[in-house]
Amino acid sequence: MKRILLSVTIFIMIIGLVGSLSLMGCKEEAAEEVTEEAAEEVTEEAAEEAAEEEAVVVASEDEVYVMNNVVSGVPFWEDHRLGWADAGAALGVTAEYLGPLTGDISEQTKIMDDLIARKVAGIALCPSDPNALNPAVARAREAGIAVVIHTTPAADSEGLCYLGSSNYDMAAEAAKVLAEAIGGKGQVGISYAIGTLDQEERLAAYTDVFAAEYPDIEIVQAVDDKYDMAIGTTAVTGMLQKYPDIVGIGGCNATSAAAAAQAAKELDLNAGDIKIVAMDANNDTLALIMSDWILMTAASRTYSTGF
């Protein structure tokens, strides 16, 4: 990448110098000769820098970079994994993908410590609990491992940067769509995965938007879907049976909304009887939007994030 950027820079500098020569047109020939010499000096200097960069930036399959996500097996992460793998292939390094199956903090911490022991080159971390994972990030950085945080921000982390969207703002937009769809009043339910920061932020956004802008909307229950289709379907089915007047459901992840739609089907409801909005995207969510079971989803550019 550095070599490409450097080549482009050289090209632009030379074009700029040639443009200057054209504009000078009527200037003395001596001035033109000085400009040509300057161009040669710039080109030679840039070529030397490029050679130095080439000597330093040498990608190798021995360099291992690992994405450690909050829940590795959820379909939502598939695009992240694909982007991560494609970037690894493009750079000529080894790109691995790991993460606990259930969002377990201790398991994700153990994965971090295993990666530190392996002395990998870098880690892309989506933490299940940023505060709990920050010490592991600090240990990795102390060991000379580059760490970036993605998708779920980690305040006070020693990671090099954060790459992602605002979970709160995304959910706030979804909450407004749901509120308008149900006419600004009625009972609603929320489906989310309890315990992870991004999910708690999204639940907070639904709660805040309804309280501030739609006082006639009541959140009667928030159920834990654990990012799991079967668990989510059972949880939402129970919620709908307990509160039959629910007119809308706000999902906090892609599985949430798909599970809500499945629960509605199993209760012999029709598409649109209960307004459902989602967060994030996978094939199930998109298919349910096309068939009118889900109104919309708010999603980040997951492949680009992984890449």
Side-chain angles (χ1 to χ4, degrees), residues 58-73:
V58 179
S60 168
E61 291 184 358
D62 293 337
E63 289 183 46
V64 179
Y65 296 85
V66 183
M67 176 172 278
N68 180 8
N69 280 348
V70 54
V71 185
S72 62

Side-chain angles (χ1 to χ4, degrees), residues 141-156:
R141 296 289 292 124
E142 185 177 352
I145 298 172
V147 181
V148 298
I149 311 298
H150 72 94
T151 306
T152 298
D156 302 321

Side-chain angles (χ1 to χ4, degrees), residues 7-44:
S7 298
V8 172
T9 302
I10 296 170
F11 178 75
I12 292 172
M13 293 173 74
I14 292 173
I15 290 297
L17 288 166
V18 171
S20 298
L21 288 172
S22 299
L23 289 173
M24 285 193 293
C26 298
K27 297 291 184 179
E28 295 179 358
E29 186 173 338
E32 183 174 333
E33 291 174 355
V34 171
T35 305
E36 288 177 352
E37 290 174 1
E40 290 175 1
E41 290 176 2
V42 169
T43 304
E44 290 174 2

Side-chain angles (χ1 to χ4, degrees), residues 201-278:
E201 288 180 334
R202 292 173 180 187
L203 173 63
Y206 278 110
T207 302
D208 292 349
V209 168
F210 294 154
E213 302 180 34
Y214 304 93
D216 293 329
I217 293 178
E218 177 189 7
I219 297 177
V220 293
Q221 189 176 4
V223 297
D224 183 9
D225 56 50
K226 300 184 184 300
Y227 298 108
D228 184 274
M229 185 68 179
I231 294 174
T233 299
T234 299
V236 175
T237 298
M239 179 173 64
L240 292 176
Q241 290 172 333
K242 183 177 181 179
Y243 299 99
D245 293 331
I246 284 178
V247 292
I249 296 175
C252 292
N253 58 72
T255 303
S256 302
Q262 183 60 33
K265 291 178 182 179
E266 293 182 2
L267 292 173
D268 295 324
L269 298 173
N270 297 314
D273 286 350
I274 295 178
K275 309 302 182 185
I276 303 171
V277 299

Side-chain angles (χ1 to χ4, degrees), residues 3 54 56-63 65 88-94:
R3 294 197 293 273
E54 187 169 359
V56 175
V57 184
V58 179
S60 168
E61 291 184 358
D62 293 337
E63 289 183 46
Y65 296 85
L91 294 169
V93 300
T94 295

